[in-house]
Amino acid sequence: MYYTRKIEDIVKRISDTFPVLLITGPRQSGKTTLLRCLAGTDRCYVTLDDPDDRLFAKQQPVAFLERYSPPVIIDEIQYAPELLPYIKMNVDTKKENGAFWLTGSQMFHMMKNVSESLAGRVGILNLFGLSNSEITGDLFDEYTTAPEKLLERLNSTRPMTLRDTFSRIHRGGMPRLYEQTETDLDEYFSSYLQTYISRDIRDLIQVADELAFYRFLRAAAARTASLINYEALARDTGVSAPTAKQWLSVLVSSGVAFLIEPYHNNALKRVVKSPRFYFMDTGLAAYLTKWSNPDVLETGAMAGEFFETYVVSEIYKSFINTGKTPPLFYYRDKNMKEIDLIIWKDGTLYPIEIKKSSNPSESVKSFNALDPVTCAKNHTEIPAYQKMELGIGSIICQSNNLHPAQCSKSEVWVVPHWLI
């Protein structure tokens, strides 16, 4: 069963605009399936996972491109970067948009090679696992706090129970787990990690002790939805802090995790400046932290962190799936005032609180931490570039209905998480 992806229209638009399309993302996020579905029978296909084709591409790139001539899908392009200069020469000669569709799982090194070889000729998109709205077939646009837009979604989708929610969180978003629902989760994620460590990690960095890297993965998963602390990660893993920092950057580069930077403005004092760390796939994080089923996860000590990770990753993917860079930040100061997520767009800050409860307190006193830059009476005291507007806020939770919060001076709405 193929799940329609929200990014499909963006893929077609990029292909009509650039001679080369590159889709990056973690392993098994559906890159190849997406492109082969969109291509139908109109393109030849080759994967550089195949050792023979990889050797052919590396040793005889001209003959390879004659054998697999455009329009073509070349899968896992990072295994033969030698092809990229020849792809450049091909597109410069023929000047046909959409000639090459490329995929790759190692974003950092591959992006360096692509930027050097195909600058101005390639449109680049990221693809992660299925979003909730892709699984349900709603295919929502990027998340907005605007109540009129959320009301439209409310009328078109089906509510999720607490059990539904944590079943989704525990399973994660890997397409195969929904296309083949009988797949055993432990077997799937065990195989996934073996491939990830043996293939991607060995290519990206020299890991002398794979067991230490696995311990690092488990320690990182246990810290999802928290501020980065390299010393604590290093201590739990038995490596140095610089090594922990390097390994964490690899998780981000390979699409396994992502960072949310703090919102900083010179008019805001005592702001914490460490990034916040999230696993992209909650199913993989649950496997690594040994939560065996949705029920024990929902009642366990990490339920709040997993719910926050799920909500933030869904919002993050909602922007990625519409071809946009997620304008997401968080706020925390040394007085312990915290805003879980901020959407910063067009000079406006849209604050978001995330609560696992189905009936959370509707008081969001932490939103007033933004008063120094959003309150009109303070605008006379700060430079123009520091002035922001305060947009509509959200309390995203397990509520069954969308409604305005009653205990807030600013406009804030209580939003069921299944409207993301």
Side-chain angles (χ1 to χ4, degrees), residues 337-378:
K337 282 193 173 183
E338 186 169 355
I339 301 172
D340 293 325
L341 205 60
I342 296 171
I343 299 175
W344 180 11
K345 288 178 59 179
D346 302 324
T348 303
L349 305 177
Y350 301 90
I352 297 172
E353 190 80 8
I354 301 168
K355 300 291 186 183
K356 173 180 173 280
S357 170
S358 59
N359 187 27
S361 167
E362 296 178 9
S363 176
V364 281
K365 295 178 181 178
S366 58
F367 288 2
N368 64 17
L370 299 175
D371 283 354
V373 295
T374 60
C375 186
K377 69 179 182 181
N378 296 327

